[in-house]
Every structure is written in C-alpha cells, then in structure tokens.
Amino acid sequence: MTRVHQLAGATGSTTLDATYAAYYASIAQADESSDGTVRHRLRPEIGDGTIEVTSLRSGFHIVRYDVAFVGGHQVGYAFPGDHFELEHCVDGRMHISEAGVGTGELNAGSVALSPGCATEGVVAHGDGERYRAVSITGTWTGLESYLGGLGAQAVPAAGPEHVARQRYLGRSAALHPAAGPLEEIFLHRRSSPGRLLFMESRLVAALAALSDGLTVTAPPADVRDLALDEHEVAALRRVPELLWQQRHAPPTLGGLARASSMSVRRLTTGFRALYGTSVKEFHRRRCLDRAAALLVETDWPVARIGHEVGYASPSNFGYAFRRDRGTTPAHFRRTHS
C-alpha cells in the first residue's frame, strides 16, 4: 500500500517547515548549491528525479518538480486560507482529491491557483509517471510585501467559491496567461550572477499575467454558459495525450470528436472552455514547449528535436520556434543552458 506523506500548517510556520523537512528527508537526499537552490534528489527506491526549492523574498518559494515515483506517490496536505500556490504542469499529470473542492487532474498545460480558503486533501502520482511542473508558494497576504508599492490588490483574489474551485483544479482559462513565464522559470538552468534576478522577473511577469487573466472581460456566451459533465471533462482531458501520441500524423477534429464520443462543436467549445485556447493552438504550444525543454536538457541536434515534437522538416521547426519564442532554437539553447 502506498504511504501517504503529510504536509500541514501555515506557510512560513515552524510546523509547516518541519513537515516539509521530514517529507524531503524521507524521500530524497538534499544538495544545497551556491545559487540558492536546494535540490532534493529522489532516492532510487523512491523514484527518479529532483524537487528543487529556491527561496525568494517575503517568504515565497519556487519549487520545480521533475519526478517519477516507483509504485506511485501520495501526499496529504492541510493548509489554512492564507496559503497561496500557483502551479503550472509542464508535462505529465497529477491527481488531486480535495475535501471541499472535489477531484481533478493537472495535465500538461494546466495552471492551478489555490482558492484563498482552507484546503485539505491528497495529491497522487501514478507508478512511474513523470511529472514536470513549477509551483510558486507563499501567502496571499505576503503578496503585498512581495510586490512592494503595487500592493496585494495587484493580483485579485481567486473569486467566488464555485469559480475558485474550478481554478484550483486547473479548469480555468483565466489562469493560462501565467503559463508562459512560469515555464521559463522551469526551463532556466543557467548558473550566473543574474540567475535569481531572472527568476524573480519571470515570477513578476507570471503574477502580472495572472492579474490580467483574473480581470479580463467575460468569455463568449457559448463558452461561458457551457456546462460540461464529468465524463465530458474526462474525455477532453484525454485529447492532449491523443494528439501527442499521434503528433507525427495528428488526427482531425472529426477523428478526435469520434474518439471522445462528442460532436465536433461540443469538442471545440468544451476544449476552449477547459483550456482557454483552441485544440490546434494548445497542441502547437505543447510541441514547442517540449522542444524548448529538450533544447535545454539534452544535447540532441536541433533537427532531431524538431522531429521528436512532430515537425516534418528542420526548416518548418525552426520557423515555428522562432515565430513563437522570438529566437532560433540554437540561440535559445545557448541562453538557457
């Protein structure tokens, strides 16, 4: 039976610090580097990968996950209402079961925001499933001191309870603008005097994007009024993986609709309501995000990376990457590695 690790307490409290220390000590070995990041490397019997924690101002932390657990992994948590957490899943998935919110999964591309009320539940990882994500933790009240003169009101609260619940489970298009700068934090591996400043700048950019996303005008009526059943949400959650598995010959919208037992219109409007973008744009973004990660984390030739993420030719890949990131794949690798 999989052990359930426990985390509890207010952010910055000795209670929560102690539970985190005990948790990390039970699963990993710590390596504190000169760049201010503590890297917890999973023990072989626990799994493969690292959990990296970088401390920032005002009690905020950046936590980067790149882990795959042997036999699965479960972590129970109990946080007070002031707990702030903004998490972006870069790749993989994590199951969430929360007492007052319900159940859901963070999948590649998802962004989740803590609801601003006390939360208690369990997050779970499947056996051997790789989970790659970046999380910003702190307190809602701590945002004021972190953002300085801008004040805490610069980032609106999570909203009404039913809206906050959807955001907590990663089901809100309003959070997606924060994904870009958060992913830059996850990918950046360069060790330099300006590294921490770069990460701080990307965090501020993520908070700015979050503020914009939480205060934008209402979505179109066909999306705003769309009520998705649980089985439809589950089917739509499988669409990104279907596209990824067949990325060298992507299925049509009709094929995806048939595989999801939905009409094309229901698929497209439901997908936009869930992910905040079209099916095509979401898949394009995932392929290029994965390419960016491979450029930083491997020494593969650019042509091989382009093929790995589904592009038929190096020139097509180079054009798409440059249009998306504003730089060539080679220059991106030099800058972030």
Side-chain angles (χ1 to χ4, degrees):
M1 184 175 180
T2 303
R3 175 186 175 186
V4 180
H5 301 268
Q6 296 292 335
L7 300 173
T11 300
S13 68
T14 55
T15 298
L16 185 59
D17 289 346
T19 59
Y20 264 109
Y23 168 59
Y24 289 138
S26 69
I27 66 170
Q29 293 181 326
D31 173 22
E32 187 165 0
S33 64
S34 59
D35 60 10
T37 295
V38 180
R39 293 176 174 83
H40 302 276
R41 302 183 185 279
L42 297 186
R43 295 192 176 93
E45 67 271 19
I46 300 297
D48 173 69
T50 59
I51 302 174
E52 303 180 358
V53 183
T54 303
S55 298
L56 304 177
R57 297 175 288 117
S58 305
F60 279 80
H61 296 85
I62 293 173
V63 186
R64 295 191 294 193
Y65 300 91
D66 188 350
V67 291
F69 294 99
V70 175
H73 191 71
Q74 296 186 30
V75 180
Y77 61 90
F79 298 134
D82 196 32
H83 180 77
F84 175 88
E85 186 163 3
L86 178 65
E87 184 157 344
H88 169 48
C89 175
V90 176
D91 200 16
R93 63 177 179 173
M94 178 179 71
H95 184 77
I96 303 173
S97 179
E98 205 281 331
V101 176
T103 61
E105 283 188 349
L106 291 189
N107 301 84
S110 298
V111 181
L113 177 66
S114 51
C117 60
T119 55
E120 182 176 356
V122 176
V123 296
H125 301 267
D127 181 13
E129 291 184 346
R130 178 68 60 176
Y131 183 67
R132 305 167 75 245
V134 58
S135 176
I136 310 301
T137 64
T139 62
W140 282 97
T141 55
L143 282 174
E144 182 172 3
S145 57
Y146 183 83
L147 294 173
L150 295 177
Q153 68 274 14
V155 178
E161 182 180 351
H162 70 286
V163 174
R165 288 184 176 191
Q166 295 301 308
R167 291 172 177 169
Y168 184 67
L169 296 177
R171 296 179 182 174
S172 173
L175 306 182
H176 283 280
L182 288 174
E183 184 159 352
E184 288 189 72
I185 293 174
F186 178 86
L187 290 174
H188 195 74
R189 292 293 188 271
R190 196 173 187 182
S191 181
S192 69
R195 177 178 180 274
L196 188 58
L197 183 60
F198 173 85
M199 296 176 76
E200 294 264 15
S201 73
R202 294 299 83 204
L203 173 54
V204 173
L207 293 174
L210 179 64
S211 178
D212 287 344
L214 293 176
T215 55
V216 293
T217 55
D222 63 341
V223 171
R224 183 177 67 247
D225 299 332
L226 186 67
L228 293 171
D229 294 330
E230 286 298 317
H231 74 275
E232 291 180 309
V233 172
L236 290 167
R237 289 291 190 194
R238 291 192 291 269
V239 168
E241 194 56 34
L242 289 173
L243 285 166
W244 180 252
Q245 291 173 356
Q246 303 178 51
R247 58 192 180 278
H248 294 102
T252 63
L253 286 175
L256 288 171
R258 287 190 295 273
S260 304
S261 299
M262 303 171 75
S263 68
V264 171
R265 177 173 174 77
R266 187 70 173 176
L267 174 81
T268 55
T269 56
F271 194 93
R272 184 174 290 277
L274 197 59
Y275 290 99
T277 187
S278 68
V279 175
K280 180 180 179 181
E281 175 59 22
F282 183 95
H283 180 60
R284 184 192 71 83
R285 165 64 57 187
R286 182 180 185 183
C287 290
L288 291 174
D289 287 347
R290 181 57 182 152
L294 290 172
L295 286 165
V296 174
E297 298 167 0
T298 74
D299 59 359
W300 291 1
V302 170
R304 178 182 176 184
I305 291 175
H307 180 267
E308 167 63 22
V309 300
Y311 283 86
S313 71
S315 59
N316 286 345
F317 169 61
Y319 174 79
F321 192 92
R322 186 169 60 254
R323 184 178 181 184
D324 182 73
R325 302 286 169 134
T327 186
T328 65
H331 186 263
F332 182 88
R333 168 176 273 167
R334 289 194 299 270
T335 303
H336 287 79
S337 298

Short mmCIF file of all heavy atoms in Angstrom, two decimals, residues 63-128:
data_model
loop_
_atom_site.label_atom_id
_atom_site.label_comp_id
_atom_site.label_asym_id
_atom_site.label_seq_id
_atom_site.Cartn_x
_atom_site.Cartn_y
_atom_site.Cartn_z
N VAL A 63 9.28 26.14 -6.55
CA VAL A 63 9.51 24.70 -6.44
C VAL A 63 9.37 24.10 -7.84
O VAL A 63 8.33 24.25 -8.49
CB VAL A 63 8.50 24.04 -5.48
CG1 VAL A 63 8.86 22.56 -5.27
CG2 VAL A 63 8.46 24.77 -4.15
N ARG A 64 10.42 23.43 -8.29
CA ARG A 64 10.41 22.79 -9.61
C ARG A 64 10.41 21.28 -9.43
O ARG A 64 11.28 20.72 -8.76
CB ARG A 64 11.60 23.24 -10.45
CG ARG A 64 11.55 24.71 -10.79
CD ARG A 64 12.57 25.10 -11.84
NE ARG A 64 13.94 24.96 -11.39
CZ ARG A 64 14.98 25.47 -12.03
NH1 ARG A 64 14.81 26.11 -13.16
NH2 ARG A 64 16.20 25.31 -11.56
N TYR A 65 9.44 20.63 -10.04
CA TYR A 65 9.29 19.19 -9.95
C TYR A 65 9.68 18.54 -11.29
O TYR A 65 9.18 18.94 -12.34
CB TYR A 65 7.85 18.79 -9.64
CG TYR A 65 7.30 19.34 -8.34
CD1 TYR A 65 6.63 20.56 -8.31
CD2 TYR A 65 7.45 18.63 -7.16
CE1 TYR A 65 6.12 21.06 -7.12
CE2 TYR A 65 6.93 19.12 -5.96
CZ TYR A 65 6.27 20.33 -5.95
OH TYR A 65 5.76 20.83 -4.77
N ASP A 66 10.55 17.55 -11.22
CA ASP A 66 10.84 16.70 -12.37
C ASP A 66 11.04 15.31 -11.80
O ASP A 66 12.16 14.88 -11.52
CB ASP A 66 12.08 17.18 -13.11
CG ASP A 66 12.30 16.44 -14.43
OD1 ASP A 66 11.59 15.44 -14.66
OD2 ASP A 66 13.16 16.86 -15.22
N VAL A 67 9.93 14.61 -11.58
CA VAL A 67 9.96 13.38 -10.78
C VAL A 67 9.13 12.26 -11.42
O VAL A 67 8.17 12.52 -12.16
CB VAL A 67 9.42 13.63 -9.35
CG1 VAL A 67 10.37 14.51 -8.56
CG2 VAL A 67 8.03 14.30 -9.40
N ALA A 68 9.53 11.05 -11.13
CA ALA A 68 8.76 9.85 -11.48
C ALA A 68 8.92 8.88 -10.31
O ALA A 68 10.04 8.48 -10.00
CB ALA A 68 9.26 9.22 -12.78
N PHE A 69 7.83 8.54 -9.66
CA PHE A 69 7.89 7.73 -8.44
C PHE A 69 7.66 6.26 -8.73
O PHE A 69 6.76 5.90 -9.51
CB PHE A 69 6.84 8.22 -7.43
CG PHE A 69 7.09 9.60 -6.91
CD1 PHE A 69 6.42 10.70 -7.45
CD2 PHE A 69 8.00 9.83 -5.90
CE1 PHE A 69 6.65 11.99 -6.98
CE2 PHE A 69 8.24 11.11 -5.41
CZ PHE A 69 7.56 12.19 -5.96
N VAL A 70 8.44 5.42 -8.08
CA VAL A 70 8.28 3.97 -8.19
C VAL A 70 7.08 3.56 -7.34
O VAL A 70 7.02 3.86 -6.14
CB VAL A 70 9.54 3.23 -7.70
CG1 VAL A 70 9.31 1.72 -7.70
CG2 VAL A 70 10.74 3.58 -8.57
N GLY A 71 6.12 2.88 -7.94
CA GLY A 71 4.96 2.41 -7.19
C GLY A 71 3.94 3.47 -6.86
O GLY A 71 3.01 3.23 -6.09
N GLY A 72 4.09 4.67 -7.43
CA GLY A 72 3.15 5.75 -7.13
C GLY A 72 3.56 6.52 -5.89
O GLY A 72 4.50 6.14 -5.17
N HIS A 73 2.87 7.62 -5.63
CA HIS A 73 3.25 8.51 -4.52
C HIS A 73 2.05 9.35 -4.14
O HIS A 73 1.34 9.87 -5.02
CB HIS A 73 4.40 9.41 -4.98
CG HIS A 73 5.06 10.18 -3.89
ND1 HIS A 73 5.86 9.60 -2.93
CD2 HIS A 73 5.04 11.52 -3.60
CE1 HIS A 73 6.32 10.53 -2.12
NE2 HIS A 73 5.84 11.70 -2.50
N GLN A 74 1.80 9.50 -2.83
CA GLN A 74 0.69 10.30 -2.35
C GLN A 74 1.14 11.25 -1.26
O GLN A 74 1.91 10.85 -0.38
CB GLN A 74 -0.44 9.42 -1.82
CG GLN A 74 -1.08 8.52 -2.87
CD GLN A 74 -2.28 7.76 -2.32
OE1 GLN A 74 -2.96 8.24 -1.42
NE2 GLN A 74 -2.53 6.59 -2.87
N VAL A 75 0.66 12.47 -1.32
CA VAL A 75 0.99 13.48 -0.31
C VAL A 75 -0.30 14.11 0.18
O VAL A 75 -1.05 14.71 -0.61
CB VAL A 75 1.92 14.58 -0.89
CG1 VAL A 75 2.24 15.61 0.20
CG2 VAL A 75 3.19 13.97 -1.45
N GLY A 76 -0.57 13.98 1.48
CA GLY A 76 -1.72 14.64 2.07
C GLY A 76 -1.34 16.04 2.51
O GLY A 76 -0.18 16.31 2.84
N TYR A 77 -2.30 16.96 2.52
CA TYR A 77 -2.00 18.34 2.90
C TYR A 77 -3.19 18.96 3.62
O TYR A 77 -4.34 18.56 3.43
CB TYR A 77 -1.64 19.18 1.67
CG TYR A 77 -2.77 19.26 0.66
CD1 TYR A 77 -3.72 20.26 0.72
CD2 TYR A 77 -2.88 18.31 -0.36
CE1 TYR A 77 -4.76 20.33 -0.19
CE2 TYR A 77 -3.91 18.37 -1.28
CZ TYR A 77 -4.84 19.38 -1.19
OH TYR A 77 -5.88 19.43 -2.09
N ALA A 78 -2.88 19.92 4.46
CA ALA A 78 -3.90 20.70 5.16
C ALA A 78 -3.34 22.10 5.34
O ALA A 78 -2.45 22.32 6.17
CB ALA A 78 -4.24 20.08 6.50
N PHE A 79 -3.84 23.05 4.54
CA PHE A 79 -3.33 24.42 4.55
C PHE A 79 -4.43 25.39 4.96
O PHE A 79 -5.60 25.20 4.62
CB PHE A 79 -2.82 24.82 3.17
CG PHE A 79 -1.67 23.98 2.66
CD1 PHE A 79 -1.67 23.49 1.37
CD2 PHE A 79 -0.60 23.68 3.48
CE1 PHE A 79 -0.62 22.72 0.89
CE2 PHE A 79 0.46 22.91 3.02
CZ PHE A 79 0.45 22.43 1.72
N PRO A 80 -4.06 26.48 5.67
CA PRO A 80 -5.05 27.49 6.04
C PRO A 80 -5.44 28.35 4.85
O PRO A 80 -4.86 28.24 3.76
CB PRO A 80 -4.33 28.32 7.11
CG PRO A 80 -2.88 28.19 6.74
CD PRO A 80 -2.72 26.79 6.20
N GLY A 81 -6.41 29.23 5.04
CA GLY A 81 -6.93 30.02 3.93
C GLY A 81 -5.96 31.00 3.33
O GLY A 81 -6.14 31.43 2.19
N ASP A 82 -4.91 31.38 4.06
CA ASP A 82 -3.96 32.36 3.54
C ASP A 82 -2.91 31.74 2.62
O ASP A 82 -2.06 32.43 2.08
CB ASP A 82 -3.27 33.08 4.71
CG ASP A 82 -2.58 34.37 4.27
OD1 ASP A 82 -3.08 35.02 3.34
OD2 ASP A 82 -1.54 34.70 4.85
N HIS A 83 -2.96 30.43 2.45
CA HIS A 83 -1.96 29.74 1.64
C HIS A 83 -2.12 30.11 0.17
O HIS A 83 -3.19 29.99 -0.41
CB HIS A 83 -2.10 28.23 1.81
CG HIS A 83 -1.11 27.43 1.02
ND1 HIS A 83 0.19 27.28 1.40
CD2 HIS A 83 -1.24 26.72 -0.14
CE1 HIS A 83 0.83 26.52 0.54
NE2 HIS A 83 -0.02 26.18 -0.42
N PHE A 84 -1.02 30.55 -0.45
CA PHE A 84 -1.02 30.90 -1.87
C PHE A 84 -0.15 29.91 -2.63
O PHE A 84 1.00 29.64 -2.25
CB PHE A 84 -0.45 32.31 -2.08
CG PHE A 84 -0.30 32.70 -3.54
CD1 PHE A 84 -1.35 33.28 -4.22
CD2 PHE A 84 0.89 32.45 -4.22
CE1 PHE A 84 -1.21 33.64 -5.56
CE2 PHE A 84 1.03 32.80 -5.56
CZ PHE A 84 -0.02 33.39 -6.23
N GLU A 85 -0.70 29.35 -3.68
CA GLU A 85 0.09 28.46 -4.54
C GLU A 85 -0.40 28.57 -5.97
O GLU A 85 -1.59 28.45 -6.25
CB GLU A 85 0.00 27.01 -4.06
CG GLU A 85 0.93 26.07 -4.82
CD GLU A 85 1.15 24.74 -4.11
OE1 GLU A 85 0.53 24.53 -3.05
OE2 GLU A 85 1.94 23.93 -4.63
N LEU A 86 0.54 28.81 -6.85
CA LEU A 86 0.27 28.91 -8.28
C LEU A 86 1.14 27.86 -8.95
O LEU A 86 2.37 27.91 -8.87
CB LEU A 86 0.62 30.30 -8.80
CG LEU A 86 0.45 30.56 -10.30
CD1 LEU A 86 -1.02 30.48 -10.70
CD2 LEU A 86 1.03 31.93 -10.67
N GLU A 87 0.52 26.86 -9.58
CA GLU A 87 1.28 25.74 -10.14
C GLU A 87 0.97 25.55 -11.62
O GLU A 87 -0.19 25.59 -12.03
CB GLU A 87 0.98 24.45 -9.37
CG GLU A 87 1.80 23.26 -9.81
CD GLU A 87 1.91 22.19 -8.75
OE1 GLU A 87 1.62 22.48 -7.57
OE2 GLU A 87 2.31 21.06 -9.08
N HIS A 88 2.02 25.32 -12.38
CA HIS A 88 1.89 25.07 -13.82
C HIS A 88 2.50 23.71 -14.13
O HIS A 88 3.68 23.47 -13.86
CB HIS A 88 2.60 26.15 -14.62
CG HIS A 88 2.75 25.84 -16.08
ND1 HIS A 88 1.70 25.39 -16.86
CD2 HIS A 88 3.83 25.92 -16.92
CE1 HIS A 88 2.13 25.21 -18.10
NE2 HIS A 88 3.40 25.52 -18.15
N CYS A 89 1.68 22.81 -14.69
CA CYS A 89 2.16 21.50 -15.12
C CYS A 89 2.74 21.62 -16.52
O CYS A 89 2.02 21.94 -17.47
CB CYS A 89 1.02 20.49 -15.09
SG CYS A 89 1.48 18.86 -15.75
N VAL A 90 4.03 21.38 -16.62
CA VAL A 90 4.71 21.45 -17.91
C VAL A 90 4.49 20.18 -18.70
O VAL A 90 4.27 20.20 -19.91
CB VAL A 90 6.22 21.70 -17.71
CG1 VAL A 90 6.98 21.69 -19.04
CG2 VAL A 90 6.44 23.03 -16.99
N ASP A 91 4.52 19.04 -18.01
CA ASP A 91 4.34 17.75 -18.67
C ASP A 91 3.94 16.72 -17.62
O ASP A 91 4.30 16.83 -16.45
CB ASP A 91 5.63 17.32 -19.37
CG ASP A 91 5.37 16.27 -20.45
OD1 ASP A 91 4.20 16.11 -20.86
OD2 ASP A 91 6.34 15.61 -20.88
N GLY A 92 3.19 15.71 -18.06
CA GLY A 92 2.75 14.65 -17.15
C GLY A 92 1.39 14.96 -16.56
O GLY A 92 0.60 15.72 -17.12
N ARG A 93 1.12 14.37 -15.38
CA ARG A 93 -0.15 14.63 -14.72
C ARG A 93 -0.06 14.33 -13.24
O ARG A 93 0.78 13.55 -12.79
CB ARG A 93 -1.27 13.80 -15.34
CG ARG A 93 -1.08 12.28 -15.18
CD ARG A 93 -2.27 11.54 -15.76
NE ARG A 93 -2.11 10.10 -15.65
CZ ARG A 93 -3.06 9.23 -15.96
NH1 ARG A 93 -4.23 9.65 -16.41
NH2 ARG A 93 -2.84 7.92 -15.84
N MET A 94 -0.93 14.97 -12.47
CA MET A 94 -1.02 14.75 -11.04
C MET A 94 -2.50 14.78 -10.65
O MET A 94 -3.24 15.68 -11.04
CB MET A 94 -0.26 15.83 -10.27
CG MET A 94 -0.36 15.71 -8.75
SD MET A 94 0.60 17.00 -7.89
CE MET A 94 -0.42 18.46 -8.25
N HIS A 95 -2.93 13.79 -9.89
CA HIS A 95 -4.32 13.70 -9.47
C HIS A 95 -4.52 14.46 -8.16
O HIS A 95 -3.70 14.39 -7.25
CB HIS A 95 -4.72 12.23 -9.28
CG HIS A 95 -6.17 12.05 -8.92
ND1 HIS A 95 -7.17 12.14 -9.85
CD2 HIS A 95 -6.77 11.81 -7.72
CE1 HIS A 95 -8.34 11.95 -9.26
NE2 HIS A 95 -8.12 11.76 -7.97
N ILE A 96 -5.62 15.22 -8.08
CA ILE A 96 -5.95 15.99 -6.88
C ILE A 96 -7.28 15.52 -6.33
O ILE A 96 -8.26 15.37 -7.07
CB ILE A 96 -6.06 17.50 -7.19
CG1 ILE A 96 -4.77 18.03 -7.81
CG2 ILE A 96 -6.39 18.28 -5.92
CD1 ILE A 96 -4.90 19.47 -8.28
N SER A 97 -7.33 15.27 -5.03
CA SER A 97 -8.58 14.96 -4.34
C SER A 97 -8.66 15.88 -3.13
O SER A 97 -7.88 15.73 -2.19
CB SER A 97 -8.62 13.49 -3.92
OG SER A 97 -9.82 13.20 -3.22
N GLU A 98 -9.58 16.85 -3.17
CA GLU A 98 -9.66 17.85 -2.11
C GLU A 98 -11.03 17.79 -1.44
O GLU A 98 -12.06 17.67 -2.11
CB GLU A 98 -9.41 19.24 -2.69
CG GLU A 98 -8.88 20.26 -1.70
CD GLU A 98 -9.95 20.82 -0.80
OE1 GLU A 98 -11.12 20.89 -1.27
OE2 GLU A 98 -9.65 21.23 0.33
N ALA A 99 -11.04 17.87 -0.10
CA ALA A 99 -12.27 17.64 0.66
C ALA A 99 -13.41 18.57 0.24
O ALA A 99 -14.55 18.15 0.10
CB ALA A 99 -11.97 17.80 2.15
N GLY A 100 -13.12 19.86 0.03
CA GLY A 100 -14.19 20.79 -0.29
C GLY A 100 -14.33 21.14 -1.74
O GLY A 100 -15.27 21.83 -2.13
N VAL A 101 -13.42 20.67 -2.59
CA VAL A 101 -13.40 21.05 -3.99
C VAL A 101 -13.82 19.92 -4.90
O VAL A 101 -14.54 20.10 -5.88
CB VAL A 101 -11.98 21.55 -4.40
CG1 VAL A 101 -11.93 21.86 -5.88
CG2 VAL A 101 -11.62 22.78 -3.58
N GLY A 102 -13.38 18.71 -4.60
CA GLY A 102 -13.66 17.57 -5.45
C GLY A 102 -12.38 16.96 -5.97
O GLY A 102 -11.33 17.09 -5.35
N THR A 103 -12.47 16.32 -7.12
CA THR A 103 -11.30 15.67 -7.69
C THR A 103 -11.01 16.23 -9.07
O THR A 103 -11.88 16.78 -9.75
CB THR A 103 -11.50 14.14 -7.80
OG1 THR A 103 -12.62 13.89 -8.67
CG2 THR A 103 -11.76 13.53 -6.44
N GLY A 104 -9.77 16.08 -9.49
CA GLY A 104 -9.36 16.54 -10.81
C GLY A 104 -7.93 16.14 -11.07
O GLY A 104 -7.30 15.46 -10.26
N GLU A 105 -7.44 16.53 -12.23
CA GLU A 105 -6.06 16.24 -12.61
C GLU A 105 -5.42 17.49 -13.20
O GLU A 105 -6.05 18.22 -13.96
CB GLU A 105 -5.99 15.12 -13.64
CG GLU A 105 -6.18 13.74 -13.06
CD GLU A 105 -5.90 12.65 -14.09
OE1 GLU A 105 -5.77 12.98 -15.29
OE2 GLU A 105 -5.82 11.48 -13.70
N LEU A 106 -4.15 17.71 -12.83
CA LEU A 106 -3.35 18.70 -13.52
C LEU A 106 -2.61 17.98 -14.63
O LEU A 106 -1.86 17.04 -14.37
CB LEU A 106 -2.36 19.37 -12.57
CG LEU A 106 -2.92 20.29 -11.50
CD1 LEU A 106 -1.78 21.04 -10.81
CD2 LEU A 106 -3.91 21.27 -12.08
N ASN A 107 -2.85 18.39 -15.86
CA ASN A 107 -2.21 17.80 -17.02
C ASN A 107 -1.30 18.82 -17.68
O ASN A 107 -1.29 19.99 -17.31
CB ASN A 107 -3.25 17.32 -18.03
CG ASN A 107 -4.19 16.29 -17.45
OD1 ASN A 107 -5.17 16.65 -16.81
ND2 ASN A 107 -3.91 15.03 -17.66
N ALA A 108 -0.54 18.37 -18.67
CA ALA A 108 0.36 19.26 -19.39
C ALA A 108 -0.40 20.49 -19.88
O ALA A 108 -1.43 20.39 -20.54
CB ALA A 108 0.99 18.53 -20.57
N GLY A 109 0.11 21.66 -19.51
CA GLY A 109 -0.51 22.91 -19.91
C GLY A 109 -1.43 23.51 -18.86
O GLY A 109 -1.81 24.67 -18.95
N SER A 110 -1.81 22.72 -17.83
CA SER A 110 -2.72 23.21 -16.81
C SER A 110 -2.04 24.21 -15.89
O SER A 110 -0.85 24.11 -15.61
CB SER A 110 -3.26 22.04 -15.97
OG SER A 110 -3.99 21.13 -16.75
N VAL A 111 -2.84 25.15 -15.39
CA VAL A 111 -2.39 26.08 -14.36
C VAL A 111 -3.43 26.05 -13.25
O VAL A 111 -4.63 26.13 -13.52
CB VAL A 111 -2.25 27.52 -14.88
CG1 VAL A 111 -1.77 28.45 -13.77
CG2 VAL A 111 -1.28 27.57 -16.06
N ALA A 112 -2.99 25.91 -12.00
CA ALA A 112 -3.90 25.84 -10.86
C ALA A 112 -3.56 26.94 -9.86
O ALA A 112 -2.39 27.29 -9.67
CB ALA A 112 -3.81 24.47 -10.18
N LEU A 113 -4.59 27.47 -9.21
CA LEU A 113 -4.42 28.54 -8.23
C LEU A 113 -5.16 28.18 -6.96
O LEU A 113 -6.34 27.78 -7.01
CB LEU A 113 -4.97 29.86 -8.78
CG LEU A 113 -4.93 31.07 -7.85
CD1 LEU A 113 -3.50 31.48 -7.53
CD2 LEU A 113 -5.70 32.24 -8.47
N SER A 114 -4.50 28.31 -5.81
CA SER A 114 -5.14 28.00 -4.53
C SER A 114 -6.35 28.91 -4.34
O SER A 114 -6.35 30.07 -4.75
CB SER A 114 -4.14 28.17 -3.38
OG SER A 114 -3.51 29.43 -3.45
N PRO A 115 -7.41 28.40 -3.69
CA PRO A 115 -8.69 29.11 -3.68
C PRO A 115 -8.84 30.22 -2.65
O PRO A 115 -9.88 30.86 -2.59
CB PRO A 115 -9.69 27.99 -3.39
CG PRO A 115 -8.92 27.01 -2.57
CD PRO A 115 -7.52 27.05 -3.14
N GLY A 116 -7.85 30.46 -1.79
CA GLY A 116 -7.99 31.52 -0.80
C GLY A 116 -8.82 31.12 0.40
O GLY A 116 -9.28 31.98 1.16
N CYS A 117 -9.06 29.82 0.57
CA CYS A 117 -9.73 29.31 1.76
C CYS A 117 -8.98 28.07 2.20
O CYS A 117 -8.13 27.55 1.47
CB CYS A 117 -11.19 28.98 1.47
SG CYS A 117 -11.43 27.72 0.19
N ALA A 118 -9.25 27.58 3.41
CA ALA A 118 -8.55 26.41 3.91
C ALA A 118 -8.78 25.22 2.98
O ALA A 118 -9.88 25.01 2.48
CB ALA A 118 -9.05 26.08 5.31
N THR A 119 -7.72 24.47 2.71
CA THR A 119 -7.81 23.30 1.84
C THR A 119 -7.23 22.09 2.54
O THR A 119 -6.29 22.20 3.33
CB THR A 119 -7.06 23.52 0.51
OG1 THR A 119 -5.70 23.88 0.80
CG2 THR A 119 -7.70 24.62 -0.31
N GLU A 120 -7.78 20.94 2.21
CA GLU A 120 -7.30 19.68 2.79
C GLU A 120 -7.58 18.56 1.81
O GLU A 120 -8.70 18.44 1.29
CB GLU A 120 -8.01 19.40 4.12
CG GLU A 120 -7.52 18.13 4.82
CD GLU A 120 -8.17 17.93 6.17
OE1 GLU A 120 -8.94 18.82 6.60
OE2 GLU A 120 -7.91 16.89 6.81
N GLY A 121 -6.58 17.76 1.52
CA GLY A 121 -6.79 16.67 0.57
C GLY A 121 -5.53 15.88 0.32
O GLY A 121 -4.61 15.86 1.15
N VAL A 122 -5.48 15.24 -0.86
CA VAL A 122 -4.35 14.38 -1.23
C VAL A 122 -4.03 14.61 -2.69
O VAL A 122 -4.94 14.69 -3.53
CB VAL A 122 -4.68 12.89 -0.99
CG1 VAL A 122 -3.53 12.01 -1.48
CG2 VAL A 122 -4.96 12.62 0.48
N VAL A 123 -2.74 14.73 -3.01
CA VAL A 123 -2.31 14.70 -4.40
C VAL A 123 -1.60 13.37 -4.64
O VAL A 123 -0.93 12.85 -3.73
CB VAL A 123 -1.37 15.88 -4.75
CG1 VAL A 123 -2.11 17.19 -4.61
CG2 VAL A 123 -0.13 15.88 -3.89
N ALA A 124 -1.77 12.81 -5.83
CA ALA A 124 -1.23 11.49 -6.09
C ALA A 124 -0.57 11.42 -7.46
O ALA A 124 -1.05 12.05 -8.43
CB ALA A 124 -2.34 10.43 -6.00
N HIS A 125 0.52 10.66 -7.54
CA HIS A 125 1.24 10.41 -8.79
C HIS A 125 1.17 8.93 -9.10
O HIS A 125 1.32 8.09 -8.19
CB HIS A 125 2.70 10.84 -8.67
CG HIS A 125 2.89 12.29 -8.34
ND1 HIS A 125 3.06 13.26 -9.30
CD2 HIS A 125 2.91 12.94 -7.15
CE1 HIS A 125 3.19 14.44 -8.72
NE2 HIS A 125 3.10 14.28 -7.41
N GLY A 126 0.97 8.58 -10.37
CA GLY A 126 0.92 7.19 -10.76
C GLY A 126 2.29 6.54 -10.80
O GLY A 126 3.33 7.22 -10.83
N ASP A 127 2.31 5.24 -10.82
CA ASP A 127 3.55 4.47 -10.84
C ASP A 127 4.38 4.79 -12.08
O ASP A 127 3.95 4.55 -13.21
CB ASP A 127 3.21 2.97 -10.82
CG ASP A 127 4.44 2.08 -10.82
OD1 ASP A 127 5.55 2.59 -10.59
OD2 ASP A 127 4.29 0.86 -11.04
N GLY A 128 5.56 5.36 -11.87
CA GLY A 128 6.48 5.64 -12.96
C GLY A 128 6.11 6.80 -13.86
O GLY A 128 6.80 7.07 -14.84
#
